[in-house]
Amino acid sequence: MGLMSKILGESGGSRQKEDYVEIESDGVDTGTTAAARQVRIAKIGDKQDVIDIKDAVYDGDVVIADITRHSTQDREMEHITDELKQVVTEVGGDIAQKGDDQLIITPNGVAINRDPLGQ
């Protein structure tokens, strides 16, 4: 099982907040400074799930969305992607699909480099 599978869950599986493991940050100052942006994890099952993703992007967060319930040729997925592209255009962000299972949606000031690391 790869790291992203552990983070996002396997196809058909459902992760809960309790499934994530807190990693000790020895020697790293985690202080009380609030992060300006967060990386949010989402699962797109239907069009209703897009509302929370849009809100997060408008708030300045990066969203990694699991789209394994849909094929990339799925008509509903086309509508969902079009709606998310519109949000990205409005906020000046970026959107990319990674394989057949993930969408990455970013707000203004965050670009997605499409060149994999280490290659």
Side-chain angles (χ1 to χ4, degrees):
M1 178 184 295
L3 177 62
M4 291 308 290
S5 295
K6 289 179 183 178
I7 293 172
L8 297 174
E10 291 296 324
S11 176
S14 177
R15 292 267 183 203
Q16 302 298 320
K17 186 175 182 178
E18 297 79 31
D19 293 334
Y20 294 93
V21 176
E22 186 67 34
I23 298 175
E24 293 297 322
S25 56
D26 296 335
V28 177
D29 180 21
T30 57
T32 57
T33 306
R37 296 182 183 185
Q38 297 181 7
V39 175
R40 308 288 304 268
I41 306 298
K43 185 173 244 178
I44 300 177
D46 57 36
K47 282 190 75 160
Q48 192 68 23
D49 297 329
V50 174
I51 295 169
D52 291 334
I53 294 170
K54 289 168 54 174
D55 289 344
V57 174
Y58 282 127
D59 289 343
D61 294 336
V62 174
V63 179
I64 300 173
D66 179 355
I67 57 171
T68 54
R69 277 197 64 195
H70 300 278
S71 76
T72 54
Q73 308 305 322
D74 185 345
R75 187 95 167 123
E76 185 176 9
M77 193 63 219
E78 286 181 35
H79 291 298
I80 289 169
T81 304
D82 288 344
E83 198 168 335
L84 292 172
K85 285 178 183 177
Q86 180 180 3
V87 170
V88 166
T89 300
E90 289 174 11
V91 300
D94 200 358
I95 185 169
Q97 183 169 336
K98 183 190 163 290
D100 290 332
D101 61 344
Q102 295 175 359
L103 282 178
I104 303 167
I105 308 102
T106 68
N108 187 355
V110 180
I112 301 169
N113 186 324
R114 279 122 171 114
D115 298 324
L117 291 174
Q119 293 185 5

